[in-house]
Amino acid sequence: MPTVRHATVALLRELGMTTIFGNPGSTELPMFRDFPADFRYVMGLQESVVLGMADGYAQGTRNAALVNLHSSAGTGHALGNLFTAWKNQTPLVVTAGQQARSILPYEPFLFAERPTEFPRPFVKWACEPARAQDVPAAIARAYHVAMEPPFGPTFVSIPIDDWDQPCDPYPARTIHARRVPESAPIAQCGAALAKARAPALVVGAGVARDGAWDAVIALAERHKAAVWVAPMSARCSFPEDHPLFAGFLTAGREAIVAALTPHDFVLALGGPMNLYHVEGQGPHMPAHADVWLIGDNHVHAAWAPVGTAIVANCDAALAMLLEGPAPAAGRNAPAPCPRPPLLDGSAITDAFVLQQIAALRPRTSVIVEEAPSSRGAMHDRLPIVAADTFYTTASGGLGHGLPAAIGMALARPQDKVIAVLGDGSAMYAIQGLHAAAQLGLSVSFVIIKNGRYEALHSFGRHFGMQSLVGTQFPELDFCALAQGHGVPSRRADDAAALDAALQWSFAAEGPTLVEAVVA
C-alpha cells in the first residue's frame, strides 16, 4: 500500500524538488528508505552549511529548495543561516525530524518540544501535521507559501513513524502568486518621474529576484535617471559600468540624505532604501524629494519612514512605468561615476586582490561574496556588469557565503563560481569545503586573509576604540584546511603569485582555494 513516503516523493518530484540538502540523524532516516534513483542527496558536515547550500541552490534555480534537519539540535545549528535566508527572501522548505508520536508524552531523547515555535520568526509558516497522512499536504503548503512573494523559508516537523504510514497520493497544484500593481498609483508615479528635474532610482535585490535587470536599464536610460544601489543589497540589479550608475548608498541616515540631495524624485525598487547600520539624526530623505517605493515585500513598505509605497513585483511595475509619459524636455544625464586608478601590486591589499579577480575572472563567472570588511574595496574594484552574477548575505550574519557558493555551483554547473571570502567569515563554515570536494564542483574559493576580524576594527574606530580583544587569528592556515578537506590550494603573498594562483584556480574544473595574504 502507498505510504506517506511514497506520496511525498511523488509530490516533490512534481514540484521539481529532487535535490535534498541535509545532515541526517536518527529521526530522519525513514524518510530515505528506498531513496529514489532520480533524487540527489547533498550532505553538509554541519546544519548551518546545509542551510547555506540550500539557500544558494534555491537562488540559482529560482525554485524552493528542500532542507532536511535533525530535530531541535540540528535546527538550532541552522538558525543563523535560516535568518539569512529570511533576509535574502530565499524560498526554502525546511523539514526536521521528530520523535515517534507514541513516546512524545515522555519527552524522549532527541525530540523537539515546541518544533513550530523554534524557527520563528524566521519562517513564513511552520507546522507539525496532526496526522501522518497530512505530511504531504503540509509539505505542499510549505512549498506554495515559500514561493509566494515575498519569498522565504517555511518549516515542517515530521515524526519519525509517519513515513511508513499508509497514505493516498497527493498531487501537486499550481498557484499563480505574482503581485501585479494597480494602474492608478503606477500612473501617478510615472507622471511624477516624467516631470522631475533630476530623478534617481535606488535598486535593491528584488529587481534581480524579479528578473527586471533589462527593464531597470530601459527606465533609467529613458529618463536619464541616476541609479544608486540600496544599502546592503544582496544582489546586483544594475550594471556597475553603466554611465548612469551612481554608486552605493551607505547604511546610515545622514549618508543616504547627502547622496540623494541632488535629486528631486527618488524611486526605490525591490528592497528597503532606508536601511541603517548605525544611529543617525535628522530627516530620512531630502525634504524636497518626491519619494516612491515599489517592491513585493509588504513589510518593507510598512516600516519605510517616508514615501508612497506600491506593493508589487518589480518586473510588472517596471513594464507599466515604461508605458508611461515621456520625460520632461531638456533633462541632462548625470555625470558618470568615476572609477579609481589601477593599483600596481606593490602592496598586496584587499583592493588589489579584488582588482585582479575582476581582471582575470571568466566572463560568465558568478561572484558569491562574504568579506564584510572588503565590501567598499569590492564596490570600487570588482564591478558587477551582468545579470545574476552576484550574491551575498542580506542579513550580515557570517557563515553563508562559502556554502551558498556550493549551492550556486550545483544550480549552475555551466558557470564558474567564485567565492570571495574573508578569513573570519570562511571559518564559520569551513567544513563546507568537503561538500565541494565530494561533488567535484567548479568553485574557486578566494580567501582574503588579513588575520583578524577587520570589520570589528572598523567599527571599533567608529566607537573610539583603538584596541579590541578576541579578534586576532594569524595562525590560521587555509591551504592546510583546504587540503584536509580534499580541495587543492595555493598561497599568494605577492602580485605575481596572486595572478598565477587566480589563473590556476579559475581554469580548474573542480574546487580550488586561493589564500591571498593581504596587508
Side-chain angles (χ1 to χ4, degrees):
M1 186 174 186
T3 64
V4 169
R5 182 174 54 258
H6 292 123
T8 301
V9 165
L11 171 68
L12 294 174
R13 187 179 287 116
E14 287 189 71
L15 295 173
M17 301 174 72
T18 57
T19 296
I20 302 174
F21 296 87
N23 182 299
S26 56
T27 54
E28 292 75 50
L29 287 179
M31 177 182 180
F32 305 113
R33 193 193 312 275
D34 302 323
F35 194 68
D38 60 324
F39 276 54
R40 173 173 58 183
Y41 188 89
V42 179
M43 182 183 69
L45 296 182
Q46 209 266 6
E47 286 88 350
S48 66
V49 172
V50 168
L51 210 296
M53 291 193 297
D55 188 326
Y57 185 77
Q59 292 194 64
T61 59
R62 295 181 179 272
N63 190 35
L66 183 65
V67 182
N68 182 245
L69 303 177
H70 183 42
S71 62
S72 289
T75 303
H77 289 160
L79 283 182
N81 273 335
L82 184 66
F83 170 59
T84 293
W86 171 260
K87 288 294 187 179
N88 284 352
Q89 292 185 208
T90 302
L92 298 176
V93 176
V94 181
T95 64
Q98 171 67 293
Q99 272 289 4
R101 293 176 184 271
S102 63
I103 57 174
L104 286 179
Y106 311 109
E107 297 199 6
F109 188 64
L110 287 177
F111 92 119
E113 182 176 357
R114 300 179 182 180
T116 61
E117 296 177 35
F118 194 22
R120 295 183 188 273
F122 305 127
V123 292
K124 295 178 67 179
W125 180 74
C127 171
E128 184 173 274
R131 305 179 308 150
Q133 290 74 17
D134 297 329
V135 168
I139 291 176
R141 179 173 174 180
Y143 173 83
H144 291 302
V145 173
M147 291 295 290
E148 178 187 12
F151 296 162
T154 55
F155 181 85
V156 182
S157 172
I158 305 171
I160 186 174
D161 51 341
D162 282 4
W163 293 107
D164 293 319
Q165 297 301 310
C167 182
D168 292 330
Y170 194 91
R173 299 165 53 228
T174 299
I175 297 178
H176 300 284
R178 280 172 42 79
R179 296 184 183 272
V180 178
E182 297 179 14
S183 58
I186 287 289
Q188 295 171 13
C189 179
L193 172 58
K195 291 188 297 183
R197 172 186 53 81
L201 309 180
V202 178
V203 293
V207 172
R209 281 194 301 270
D210 292 343
W213 174 276
D214 291 335
V216 164
I217 295 172
L219 188 71
E221 291 177 346
R222 184 183 188 203
H223 289 274
K224 298 179 181 178
V227 181
W228 293 87
V229 176
M232 305 295 187
S233 179
R235 299 282 296 273
C236 180
S237 299
F238 191 82
E240 294 168 16
D241 61 349
H242 194 284
L244 292 172
F245 178 70
F248 299 84
L249 293 182
T250 302
R253 188 186 300 195
E254 295 90 346
I256 291 172
V257 171
L260 297 179
T261 289
H263 306 289
D264 61 340
F265 173 93
V266 179
L267 170 58
L269 292 159
M273 175 171 54
N274 294 95
L275 183 65
Y276 306 137
H277 194 26
V278 293
E279 284 188 291
Q281 302 295 326
H284 295 275
M285 293 293 292
H288 60 271
D290 186 10
V291 179
W292 291 75
L293 308 98
I294 299 176
D296 66 2
N297 195 324
H298 57 283
V299 176
H300 294 168
W303 65 249
V306 293
T308 301
I310 301 172
V311 179
N313 283 92
C314 289
D315 56 340
L318 284 163
M320 296 169 69
L321 286 172
L322 285 167
E323 296 176 354
R331 180 184 293 169
N332 295 319
C337 186
R339 302 299 303 183
L342 289 176
L343 301 171
D344 62 8
S346 56
I348 306 303
T349 62
D350 58 351
F352 181 74
V353 173
L354 292 158
Q355 173 186 284
Q356 297 311 103
I357 292 173
L360 300 172
R361 61 181 285 206
R363 186 180 60 84
T364 60
S365 57
V366 179
I367 302 292
V368 180
E369 177 266 335
E370 191 183 292
S373 63
S374 298
R375 188 72 55 81
M378 182 191 69
H379 291 163
D380 292 339
R381 304 287 173 176
L382 180 54
I384 307 299
V385 299
D388 298 325
T389 58
F390 176 77
Y391 300 81
T392 189
T393 168
S395 74
L398 301 183
H400 168 265
L402 191 153
I406 297 167
M408 186 62 62
L410 277 169
R412 297 170 60 171
Q414 72 280 6
D415 296 323
K416 167 67 73 172
V417 175
I418 303 170
V420 179
L421 307 168
D423 46 3
S425 298
M427 286 305 299
Y428 272 69
I430 197 67
Q431 59 270 69
L433 294 176
H434 174 262
Q438 192 173 61
L439 297 166
L441 299 174
S442 182
V443 184
S444 294
F445 300 96
V446 181
I447 311 294
I448 300 175
K449 182 181 177 182
N450 55 32
R452 65 183 191 176
Y453 284 121
E454 180 59 33
L456 289 181
H457 285 260
S458 298
F459 257 92
R461 291 188 287 273
H462 173 79
F463 293 121
M465 301 168 65
Q466 301 307 312
S467 62
L468 298 176
V469 298
T471 60
Q472 309 280 346
F473 35 81
E475 305 83 4
L476 290 176
D477 184 339
F478 285 94
C479 289
L481 288 166
Q483 290 162 6
H485 287 87
V487 175
S489 64
R490 290 191 183 182
R491 186 175 188 268
D493 56 8
D494 61 45
L498 177 65
D499 282 0
L502 291 176
Q503 289 169 338
W504 161 76
S505 179
F506 296 163
E509 294 184 0
T512 55
L513 183 143
V514 174
E515 180 184 77
V517 183
V518 302

